[in-house]
Amino acid sequence: MESRHLRYALALAEHQHFGRAAASLGISQPPLSAQIAAVEREIGERLFDRTPRGVFPTAAGVAFLARARRALCEMTAAAVEASRAARGETGRLRMGFIGSALLDPLPGVLGRFRRTLPDVRLDLREMSSPESAAALVAGELDVAVSRGAPRGAGVEGLVTVPIGADHLVAVVGVGHPFAGRAEIRLEQLAAERLIVAAPEQEPAVAAHLRGLFGVDATALDTATLSRDIHTITGLAACAVGVGLGPSRMRLASRKDIWFCDVAPRLRLPDLQLSFRAADDSPVLAAFLDVVRANCAEVGSRLDGVLAGRRARSSEPAPDRG
Amino acid sequence: MESRHLRYALALAEHQHFGRAAASLGISQPPLSAQIAAVEREIGERLFDRTPRGVFPTAAGVAFLARARRALCEMTAAAVEASRAARGETGRLRMGFIGSALLDPLPGVLGRFRRTLPDVRLDLREMSSPESAAALVAGELDVAVSRGAPRGAGVEGLVTVPIGADHLVAVVGVGHPFAGRAEIRLEQLAAERLIVAAPEQEPAVAAHLRGLFGVDATALDTATLSRDIHTITGLAACAVGVGLGPSRMRLASRKDIWFCDVAPRLRLPDLQLSFRAADDSPVLAAFLDVVRANCAEVGSRLDGVLAGRRARSSEPAPDRG
DNA sequence: CGCACGCGATATCTTCAGAGTATGGAGTCG
DNA sequence: CGACTCCATACTCTGAAGATATCGCGTGCG
């Protein structure tokens, strides 16, 4: 049984006439008769009643035609779905991200992704930077947004591009002496009770801060550790101390807190977008297109990385287009 | 796109190896390569990654294969369903019947039908004999069980076989003088208040009774008219009068009624099974097979009728078996 | 480091199924 | 009763699928 037989049977059922059905198929009448006869011989049942008033499906024909229609629909859908999958319009993208990324780059990127590729299932999982790096290497994620480039085993197989810079800012409750001041000096922080991200959550930030404070890191050793930005601002609002975090923390502003720049301006490890270099998934490619379209400066960085990948992957099939 | 392409792609996905997939398909490797290449060219996307460690579907291939599997399932199902439909194992049978048929022939016939052809939808509608005849002619029913052969326009297109004989019996409440008597004479009934089927429900019976009672039909003119057998027995139990009905009414026995044979034994119009002579539906044929298997005496009557039909319908395709 | 092997792609030939043309036969209608 | 319509049959032909032989390439083992 070939799909041609299904098409021919459907055309015959539609036109109820061998000659016209054959014409609609672009063939002459005898081959159509032969093919229909072949199907009937294969199934062992007559599918059409040839009457002087037209050709009508038998009970067997009705049952056959119903399935034939569905089969042909599946076949065309196979081609369409394959094409869409190749363009990354269907499928799944598993993304790990740190909570602070939800404040700045992710809303725009994810919104655009949803709009341009509505049929891609987005699996979003908030996780710490070390967790996302491990999950990416293990193949449990397709893309990760972390702070600082991934560390650990297998990261050489990852491509990483910076997607957001931050400098250190302080946050205090509105009752704190710092409230109302545009900036404070780093030295002033050493005397304060600090609130910072937990090292196991953001080791890159923790190490960076320790470097900034130098040998006199007692302030850090007695700091209150927080899981995420919202805990830092919340604790600052409770006057537990002075929160320290990335500048995008300002986007999580509240009425009861005040942000101060820290002088000198101290750059934190960048937000990084990572994915497996060997991952040629079209969904990932489509996602990277969205990222590139959304942030121009990231785009140029990505282009450099992707140029190499695309050149390599297009070599085996240069005649594809 | 041909179903062959789907089969080849599925085999390749299964074996992850061109050579072995080709062998499993009974062809050599080069044609398989060519066919896979043809599909990929038609869709415009690579469906398989040829790696030194095996052949694996791309994202497009995964989407394609999923649909391909379904399409092939539908195709085989088309053949199977057509075959089943031709044998009358699927489809629908619309039957009209009079209530009294539910007492005797229908339980056995319908039970066997359900058992042997569980996937045929049975549409059962109780209706009077004239109604079922009209519905049969109009194509709203496939088969009818009525009392007496159908009358009216279009009945010449129907085939009718008797499927049950009845004689007239009387039914009375247990308090009635007739109670306990095995039989009573027809003349004795003329003096009783009678309960009979309404003429519009069963005109054949009504006409027959009028013939039996002859010119002195005043008893019938003043009779209580009932819609069905259960109303007759129910009214008899209430001592409203003497019920008259077909002998299969005995099967609707109750503690509070008594049945008497009527002497002389008066045969009522037979229960008749009717269907359109032009109806070559396999479901109808399968149903008639069940009827034949269920009642031997009906079978022989049916055989005579069906022999002619089958000879005619098999002429155009004598080589079918 | 090189050779051999495995595997997919390519080239060329062959075959057969499907398509075309011509015609036959059955049924219908004027 | 003849002409017409329509499907089936007979026969030829073409093209696509398949077979055989071979190439190119990458891998892995010696």
Side-chain angles (χ1 to χ4, degrees), chain A residues 1-4 6-7 43 45 47 49 59-60 63-64 67 70-71 74-75 77-79 81-82 85-86 280 282 320, chain B residues 1-4 6-7 43 45 47 49 59-60 63-64 67 70-71 74-75 77-79 81-83 85-86 280 282:
Chain A
M1 176 101 59
E2 286 296 327
S3 57
R4 173 175 14 87
L6 309 186
R7 286 193 294 272
I43 294 182
E45 302 294 344
L47 296 180
D49 268 338
F64 179 84
R67 294 284 188 171
R70 286 201 254 168
E74 290 293 338
M75 283 189 61
E81 288 295 305
D280 58 352
R320 214 196 287 181
Chain B
M1 176 100 59
E2 287 295 327
S3 56
R4 175 175 11 92
L6 308 186
R7 286 192 296 272
I43 293 181
E45 301 295 344
L47 297 180
D49 267 338
F64 180 84
R67 294 284 188 172
R70 285 202 255 170
E74 290 292 340
M75 283 189 60
E81 288 294 304
S83 179
D280 57 353

Side-chain angles (χ1 to χ4, degrees), chain B residues 52-68:
Chain B
R53 282 163 309 287
V55 179
F56 304 100
T58 62
V62 170
F64 180 84
L65 292 166
R67 294 284 188 172

Side-chain angles (χ1 to χ4, degrees), chain A residues 281-301:
Chain A
S281 143
V283 174
L284 174 61
F287 174 77
L288 296 180
D289 283 346
V290 167
V291 171
R292 189 184 300 109
N294 212 59
C295 352
E297 85 264 28
V298 174
S300 55
R301 294 293 303 255

